[in-house]
Amino acid sequence: VNVVESGGGLVQAGHSLRLSCAASGPTYRTYALTWFRQAPGKEHEFVAAISASGATTYYTDSVKGRFTISRDVAKNTVYLQLNSLKLEDTAVYYCAADEARSLGTTDWSDYDYWGQGTQVTVSS
């Protein structure tokens, strides 16, 4: 499975970004896809998850109401819309794929594949 993230950048606080995650593989539609982030000197932090069908989503508390995860099965892509960005959202954002579950967990170590990450920097 190949996972590629894109869409990061430098934005001012309060502004928005949309991240994309393209996942390819013979069983793409069964993958749980989840967004994590890692700030400098910190562990990978769960951000948002979406089920293989796209019907179920859940978020970490700090992003609820600001971030939205969605997926386009036809395009083999998962999106993360980041609105009302805050300084503390600055991190490298990773998309991770789990082929064993229909809905991913919040534990980075449960995932089998992930991309190279995309940097999101929020300035004041």
Coordinates of all heavy atoms in Angstrom, one line a residue, residues 22-91:
A22 N -3.7 10.2 -0.6 CA -4.0 9.3 -1.7 C -3.4 7.9 -1.3 O -2.2 7.8 -1.1 CB -3.4 9.8 -3.0
A23 N -4.3 6.9 -1.3 CA -3.9 5.6 -0.9 C -4.1 4.6 -2.0 O -5.2 4.6 -2.6 CB -4.6 5.1 0.4
S24 N -3.1 3.8 -2.4 CA -3.3 2.9 -3.5 C -2.9 1.5 -3.1 O -1.9 1.3 -2.3 CB -2.4 3.4 -4.7 OG -1.1 3.4 -4.3
G25 N -3.6 0.5 -3.6 CA -3.3 -0.9 -3.2 C -4.5 -1.7 -3.7 O -5.5 -1.2 -3.9
P26 N -4.3 -3.0 -3.8 CA -5.3 -3.9 -4.3 C -6.6 -3.9 -3.5 O -7.6 -4.3 -4.0 CB -4.6 -5.2 -4.4 CG -3.5 -5.1 -3.4 CD -3.0 -3.7 -3.4
T27 N -6.5 -3.6 -2.2 CA -7.7 -3.7 -1.4 C -8.0 -2.3 -0.7 O -8.4 -2.3 0.4 CB -7.5 -4.8 -0.3 OG1 -6.3 -4.4 0.5 CG2 -7.4 -6.1 -0.9
Y28 N -7.8 -1.3 -1.5 CA -8.0 0.1 -0.9 C -9.3 0.2 -0.2 O -9.3 0.8 0.9 CB -7.9 1.1 -2.0 CG -8.4 2.5 -1.6 CD1 -7.6 3.3 -0.8 CD2 -9.7 2.9 -1.9 CE1 -8.1 4.5 -0.3 CE2 -10.2 4.1 -1.5 CZ -9.4 4.9 -0.7 OH -9.9 6.1 -0.2
R29 N -10.3 -0.2 -0.7 CA -11.6 0.1 -0.1 C -11.9 -0.5 1.2 O -12.8 -0.2 1.9 CB -12.7 -0.3 -1.1 CG -12.8 0.5 -2.4 CD -14.1 0.3 -3.1 NE -14.2 1.2 -4.2 CZ -14.0 0.9 -5.5 NH1 -13.7 -0.3 -5.8 NH2 -14.1 1.8 -6.4
T30 N -11.0 -1.4 1.6 CA -11.1 -2.0 3.0 C -10.2 -1.3 4.0 O -10.2 -1.7 5.1 CB -10.8 -3.5 2.9 OG1 -9.4 -3.7 2.6 CG2 -11.7 -4.2 1.9
Y31 N -9.5 -0.3 3.6 CA -8.6 0.3 4.5 C -9.3 1.3 5.4 O -10.1 2.1 4.9 CB -7.5 1.1 3.8 CG -6.6 0.3 2.9 CD1 -5.9 0.9 1.8 CD2 -6.4 -1.1 3.1 CE1 -5.1 0.1 1.0 CE2 -5.6 -1.8 2.2 CZ -5.0 -1.2 1.2 OH -4.2 -1.9 0.4
A32 N -9.0 1.2 6.7 CA -9.3 2.4 7.6 C -8.2 3.4 7.3 O -7.0 3.0 7.3 CB -9.3 1.9 9.0
L33 N -8.5 4.6 7.2 CA -7.6 5.7 7.0 C -7.7 6.7 8.1 O -8.8 7.2 8.4 CB -7.7 6.3 5.6 CG -7.4 5.4 4.4 CD1 -7.8 6.0 3.1 CD2 -5.9 5.2 4.4
T34 N -6.6 7.1 8.7 CA -6.6 7.9 9.8 C -5.5 9.0 9.7 O -4.4 8.7 9.2 CB -6.3 7.1 11.1 OG1 -7.3 6.1 11.2 CG2 -6.3 7.9 12.4
W35 N -5.8 10.2 10.2 CA -4.9 11.3 10.3 C -4.2 11.4 11.7 O -5.0 11.4 12.7 CB -5.5 12.6 9.9 CG -5.8 12.8 8.5 CD1 -7.0 12.5 7.8 CD2 -4.9 13.2 7.4 NE1 -6.9 12.8 6.5 CE2 -5.6 13.2 6.2 CE3 -3.5 13.6 7.5 CZ2 -5.0 13.6 5.0 CZ3 -2.9 14.0 6.2 CH2 -3.7 14.0 5.1
F36 N -2.9 11.5 11.7 CA -2.2 11.7 12.9 C -1.4 13.0 12.6 O -1.2 13.4 11.5 CB -1.2 10.6 13.2 CG -1.9 9.3 13.7 CD1 -2.4 8.4 12.8 CD2 -1.9 9.1 15.1 CE1 -3.0 7.3 13.3 CE2 -2.5 7.9 15.5 CZ -3.1 7.0 14.6
R37 N -0.8 13.5 13.7 CA 0.1 14.7 13.6 C 1.2 14.5 14.6 O 1.0 13.9 15.6 CB -0.6 16.0 13.7 CG -1.2 16.3 15.1 CD -2.0 17.5 15.0 NE -2.6 17.8 16.3 CZ -3.5 18.8 16.5 NH1 -3.9 19.6 15.5 NH2 -4.0 19.0 17.7
Q38 N 2.4 15.1 14.3 CA 3.5 15.1 15.2 C 4.2 16.4 15.2 O 4.7 16.9 14.2 CB 4.5 14.0 14.7 CG 5.6 13.8 15.7 CD 6.6 12.7 15.3 OE1 6.8 12.4 14.1 NE2 7.1 12.0 16.3
A39 N 4.1 17.0 16.4 CA 4.8 18.3 16.6 C 6.2 18.0 17.0 O 6.5 16.9 17.5 CB 4.1 19.1 17.7
P40 N 7.1 19.0 16.9 CA 8.5 18.7 17.2 C 8.7 18.3 18.7 O 8.1 18.9 19.6 CB 9.2 20.1 17.0 CG 8.3 20.8 16.0 CD 6.9 20.3 16.3
G41 N 9.4 17.2 18.8 CA 9.7 16.7 20.2 C 8.6 15.9 20.8 O 8.7 15.5 22.0
K42 N 7.5 15.7 20.1 CA 6.3 15.0 20.7 C 6.1 13.7 19.9 O 6.5 13.5 18.8 CB 5.1 15.9 20.6 CG 5.3 17.1 21.5 CD 4.0 17.9 21.6 CE 4.1 19.1 22.6 NZ 2.8 19.8 22.7
E43 N 5.2 12.9 20.5 CA 4.8 11.6 19.9 C 3.7 11.9 18.8 O 3.1 13.0 18.8 CB 4.2 10.7 20.9 CG 5.2 10.3 22.0 CD 6.4 9.4 21.4 OE1 6.1 8.6 20.6 OE2 7.5 9.6 21.9
H44 N 3.5 10.9 18.0 CA 2.4 11.0 17.1 C 1.0 11.1 17.8 O 0.8 10.3 18.7 CB 2.3 9.7 16.2 CG 3.4 9.7 15.2 ND1 4.6 9.1 15.4 CD2 3.5 10.2 13.9 CE1 5.4 9.2 14.4 NE2 4.7 9.9 13.4
E45 N 0.2 12.0 17.4 CA -1.0 12.3 18.1 C -2.2 12.0 17.1 O -2.2 12.5 16.0 CB -1.1 13.8 18.5 CG -2.5 14.2 19.1 CD -2.6 15.7 19.3 OE1 -1.9 16.4 18.6 OE2 -3.5 16.1 20.0
F46 N -3.2 11.2 17.6 CA -4.3 11.0 16.7 C -5.1 12.3 16.5 O -5.3 13.1 17.4 CB -5.2 10.0 17.5 CG -6.6 9.9 16.9 CD1 -6.8 9.1 15.7 CD2 -7.7 10.5 17.5 CE1 -8.1 9.1 15.2 CE2 -9.0 10.4 16.9 CZ -9.2 9.7 15.8
V47 N -5.6 12.4 15.3 CA -6.4 13.6 14.9 C -7.8 13.2 14.5 O -8.8 13.7 15.1 CB -5.7 14.4 13.8 CG1 -6.6 15.6 13.3 CG2 -4.3 14.8 14.1
A48 N -8.0 12.4 13.5 CA -9.3 12.0 13.0 C -9.2 10.7 12.2 O -8.2 10.4 11.6 CB -9.8 13.1 12.0
A49 N -10.3 10.0 12.3 CA -10.4 8.7 11.6 C -11.7 8.6 10.8 O -12.7 9.2 11.2 CB -10.3 7.5 12.6
I50 N -11.6 7.8 9.7 CA -12.8 7.6 8.9 C -12.9 6.1 8.6 O -11.8 5.5 8.3 CB -12.9 8.5 7.7 CG1 -14.2 8.4 7.0 CG2 -11.7 8.1 6.7 CD1 -14.5 9.5 6.0
S51 N -14.1 5.5 8.6 CA -14.2 4.1 8.3 C -14.0 3.8 6.8 O -14.0 4.7 6.0 CB -15.6 3.6 8.7 OG -16.6 4.3 8.0
A52 N -13.8 2.5 6.4 CA -13.6 2.2 5.0 C -14.8 2.6 4.2 O -14.6 3.0 3.0 CB -13.4 0.7 4.9
S53 N -16.0 2.6 4.7 CA -17.2 3.0 4.0 C -17.4 4.5 3.9 O -18.2 5.0 3.1 CB -18.4 2.3 4.6 OG -18.7 2.9 5.9
G54 N -16.7 5.2 4.8 CA -16.9 6.6 5.0 C -18.1 7.0 5.8 O -18.3 8.2 6.0
A55 N -18.8 6.1 6.4 CA -20.0 6.4 7.1 C -19.7 6.8 8.6 O -20.5 7.5 9.2 CB -20.9 5.1 7.1
T56 N -18.5 6.4 9.1 CA -18.2 6.7 10.5 C -17.0 7.5 10.6 O -16.0 7.2 9.9 CB -18.1 5.4 11.3 OG1 -19.2 4.6 11.2 CG2 -17.8 5.7 12.7
T57 N -17.0 8.6 11.4 CA -15.8 9.4 11.7 C -15.7 9.7 13.2 O -16.7 9.7 13.9 CB -15.9 10.7 10.9 OG1 -17.1 11.5 11.4 CG2 -16.0 10.5 9.4
Y58 N -14.5 9.9 13.6 CA -14.4 10.4 15.0 C -13.1 11.2 15.1 O -12.2 11.1 14.2 CB -14.4 9.3 16.1 CG -13.3 8.3 16.1 CD1 -12.3 8.4 17.0 CD2 -13.3 7.2 15.2 CE1 -11.3 7.5 17.1 CE2 -12.3 6.3 15.2 CZ -11.3 6.4 16.2 OH -10.3 5.4 16.2
Y59 N -13.0 12.1 16.1 CA -12.0 13.1 16.2 C -11.4 13.2 17.6 O -12.1 12.9 18.6 CB -12.5 14.5 15.8 CG -13.2 14.6 14.4 CD1 -14.5 14.2 14.2 CD2 -12.4 15.0 13.3 CE1 -15.1 14.3 13.0 CE2 -13.0 15.1 12.1 CZ -14.3 14.7 11.9 OH -14.9 14.8 10.6
T60 N -10.2 13.7 17.7 CA -9.7 14.0 19.0 C -10.4 15.3 19.4 O -10.8 16.1 18.6 CB -8.2 14.2 19.0 OG1 -7.7 14.3 20.3 CG2 -7.8 15.5 18.2
D61 N -10.6 15.5 20.7 CA -11.4 16.6 21.3 C -10.9 18.0 20.8 O -11.7 18.9 20.6 CB -11.4 16.5 22.8 CG -12.3 15.4 23.3 OD1 -13.1 14.9 22.5 OD2 -12.2 15.1 24.5
S62 N -9.6 18.1 20.7 CA -9.0 19.5 20.4 C -9.4 20.0 19.0 O -9.2 21.1 18.7 CB -7.5 19.5 20.6 OG -6.9 18.6 19.7
V63 N -9.8 19.1 18.1 CA -10.1 19.5 16.7 C -11.6 19.4 16.4 O -12.0 19.8 15.3 CB -9.3 18.7 15.7 CG1 -7.8 18.8 16.0 CG2 -9.8 17.3 15.5
K64 N -12.4 18.9 17.3 CA -13.8 18.8 17.0 C -14.5 20.1 16.7 O -14.2 21.1 17.4 CB -14.5 18.1 18.2 CG -14.3 16.6 18.4 CD -15.1 16.1 19.6 CE -14.8 14.6 19.7 NZ -15.4 14.0 20.9
G65 N -15.3 20.2 15.7 CA -15.9 21.4 15.3 C -15.0 22.3 14.4 O -15.5 23.3 13.8
R66 N -13.7 21.9 14.2 CA -12.8 22.7 13.4 C -12.3 21.9 12.2 O -12.2 22.4 11.1 CB -11.6 23.2 14.2 CG -12.0 24.1 15.4 CD -10.7 24.8 16.0 NE -9.8 23.8 16.5 CZ -8.5 23.6 16.1 NH1 -8.1 24.4 15.2 NH2 -7.7 22.7 16.7
F67 N -12.1 20.6 12.4 CA -11.6 19.7 11.4 C -12.6 18.8 10.9 O -13.5 18.3 11.7 CB -10.4 18.9 11.9 CG -9.1 19.7 12.2 CD1 -9.1 21.1 12.2 CD2 -8.0 19.0 12.5 CE1 -7.9 21.8 12.5 CE2 -6.8 19.7 12.8 CZ -6.8 21.1 12.8
T68 N -12.6 18.4 9.6 CA -13.5 17.5 9.1 C -12.8 16.5 8.2 O -12.1 16.9 7.3 CB -14.6 18.2 8.2 OG1 -15.3 19.1 9.0 CG2 -15.6 17.2 7.7
I69 N -13.0 15.2 8.5 CA -12.4 14.2 7.6 C -13.5 13.6 6.7 O -14.6 13.5 7.1 CB -11.8 13.0 8.5 CG1 -11.0 12.1 7.6 CG2 -12.9 12.3 9.3 CD1 -10.2 11.1 8.5
S70 N -13.1 13.3 5.5 CA -14.0 12.8 4.5 C -13.2 11.9 3.5 O -12.0 12.0 3.5 CB -14.7 13.9 3.7 OG -13.8 14.7 3.0
R71 N -13.9 11.1 2.8 CA -13.2 10.2 1.8 C -14.0 10.1 0.5 O -15.3 10.1 0.5 CB -12.9 8.9 2.4 CG -14.0 7.9 2.5 CD -13.5 6.7 3.3 NE -12.5 5.9 2.6 CZ -11.7 5.0 3.2 NH1 -11.8 4.8 4.5 NH2 -10.9 4.3 2.5
D72 N -13.3 10.0 -0.6 CA -13.9 9.8 -1.9 C -13.3 8.5 -2.4 O -12.2 8.4 -2.8 CB -13.4 11.0 -2.8 CG -14.1 10.9 -4.2 OD1 -14.4 9.7 -4.7 OD2 -14.3 11.9 -4.8
V73 N -14.2 7.5 -2.3 CA -13.7 6.1 -2.7 C -13.3 6.0 -4.1 O -12.4 5.4 -4.5 CB -14.8 5.1 -2.3 CG1 -14.4 3.7 -2.8 CG2 -15.1 5.1 -0.8
A74 N -14.1 6.7 -5.0 CA -13.8 6.7 -6.4 C -12.5 7.2 -6.8 O -11.8 6.8 -7.7 CB -14.9 7.4 -7.2
K75 N -12.0 8.2 -6.0 CA -10.7 8.8 -6.2 C -9.6 8.3 -5.3 O -8.5 8.7 -5.4 CB -10.8 10.4 -6.0 CG -11.7 11.1 -7.0 CD -11.6 12.6 -6.8 CE -12.5 13.3 -7.8 NZ -12.5 14.8 -7.6
N76 N -10.0 7.3 -4.5 CA -9.0 6.7 -3.6 C -8.3 7.7 -2.7 O -7.1 7.6 -2.5 CB -7.9 5.9 -4.4 CG -8.5 4.7 -5.1 OD1 -9.6 4.3 -4.8 ND2 -7.8 4.1 -6.0
T77 N -9.1 8.7 -2.2 CA -8.5 9.8 -1.5 C -9.3 10.1 -0.3 O -10.5 10.0 -0.2 CB -8.4 11.0 -2.4 OG1 -7.6 10.7 -3.6 CG2 -7.8 12.2 -1.7
V78 N -8.6 10.4 0.8 CA -9.2 10.9 2.0 C -8.7 12.4 2.2 O -7.6 12.7 1.9 CB -8.7 10.1 3.2 CG1 -9.1 10.7 4.5 CG2 -9.3 8.7 3.1
Y79 N -9.6 13.2 2.7 CA -9.3 14.6 2.9 C -9.4 14.9 4.4 O -10.2 14.3 5.2 CB -10.3 15.4 2.2 CG -10.4 15.1 0.7 CD1 -11.3 14.3 0.1 CD2 -9.4 15.7 -0.2 CE1 -11.4 14.0 -1.2 CE2 -9.4 15.4 -1.5 CZ -10.4 14.6 -2.0 OH -10.4 14.3 -3.4
L80 N -8.7 16.0 4.8 CA -8.8 16.6 6.1 C -8.9 18.1 5.9 O -8.0 18.7 5.6 CB -7.7 16.2 7.0 CG -7.8 16.6 8.5 CD1 -9.0 15.9 9.2 CD2 -6.5 16.4 9.3
Q81 N -10.1 18.6 6.2 CA -10.4 20.0 6.1 C -10.0 20.6 7.5 O -10.6 20.3 8.5 CB -11.8 20.3 5.7 CG -12.1 21.8 5.7 CD -11.5 22.5 4.5 OE1 -11.4 22.0 3.4 NE2 -11.0 23.7 4.7
L82 N -9.1 21.6 7.5 CA -8.7 22.2 8.7 C -9.2 23.7 8.7 O -8.7 24.5 7.9 CB -7.1 22.2 8.8 CG -6.4 20.9 9.1 CD1 -6.5 19.9 7.9 CD2 -4.9 21.1 9.4
N83 N -10.1 24.0 9.6 CA -10.6 25.3 9.7 C -10.2 25.9 11.0 O -9.9 25.2 12.0 CB -12.1 25.3 9.5 CG -12.6 24.9 8.2 OD1 -11.9 25.1 7.2 ND2 -13.8 24.3 8.1
S84 N -10.3 27.2 11.1 CA -10.0 28.0 12.4 C -8.7 27.5 13.0 O -8.7 27.2 14.2 CB -11.2 27.8 13.3 OG -12.4 28.2 12.8
L85 N -7.7 27.4 12.2 CA -6.4 26.9 12.6 C -5.8 27.7 13.8 O -5.9 28.9 13.8 CB -5.4 26.8 11.5 CG -5.7 25.6 10.6 CD1 -5.0 25.8 9.2 CD2 -5.1 24.3 11.2
K86 N -5.2 27.0 14.7 CA -4.6 27.6 15.9 C -3.1 27.3 15.8 O -2.6 26.4 15.1 CB -5.2 27.0 17.1 CG -6.7 27.1 17.3 CD -7.2 26.5 18.5 CE -8.7 26.6 18.7 NZ -9.2 26.0 19.9
L87 N -2.3 28.1 16.6 CA -0.9 27.9 16.6 C -0.5 26.5 17.0 O 0.4 25.9 16.5 CB -0.2 28.9 17.6 CG -0.4 30.4 17.3 CD1 0.3 31.2 18.4 CD2 0.3 30.7 15.9
E88 N -1.3 25.9 17.9 CA -1.0 24.6 18.4 C -1.3 23.5 17.4 O -1.0 22.3 17.7 CB -1.7 24.3 19.8 CG -3.2 24.5 19.7 CD -3.6 25.9 20.2 OE1 -2.9 26.9 19.9 OE2 -4.6 26.0 20.9
D89 N -1.9 23.8 16.3 CA -2.1 22.8 15.2 C -0.9 22.6 14.4 O -0.8 21.7 13.5 CB -3.3 23.3 14.3 CG -4.6 23.3 15.0 OD1 -4.9 22.4 15.8 OD2 -5.4 24.2 14.8
T90 N 0.2 23.4 14.6 CA 1.4 23.3 13.9 C 2.0 21.9 14.1 O 2.3 21.5 15.2 CB 2.4 24.4 14.2 OG1 1.9 25.6 13.9 CG2 3.8 24.1 13.6
A91 N 2.3 21.2 13.0 CA 2.8 19.8 13.1 C 3.0 19.2 11.7 O 2.5 19.8 10.7 CB 1.9 18.9 13.9

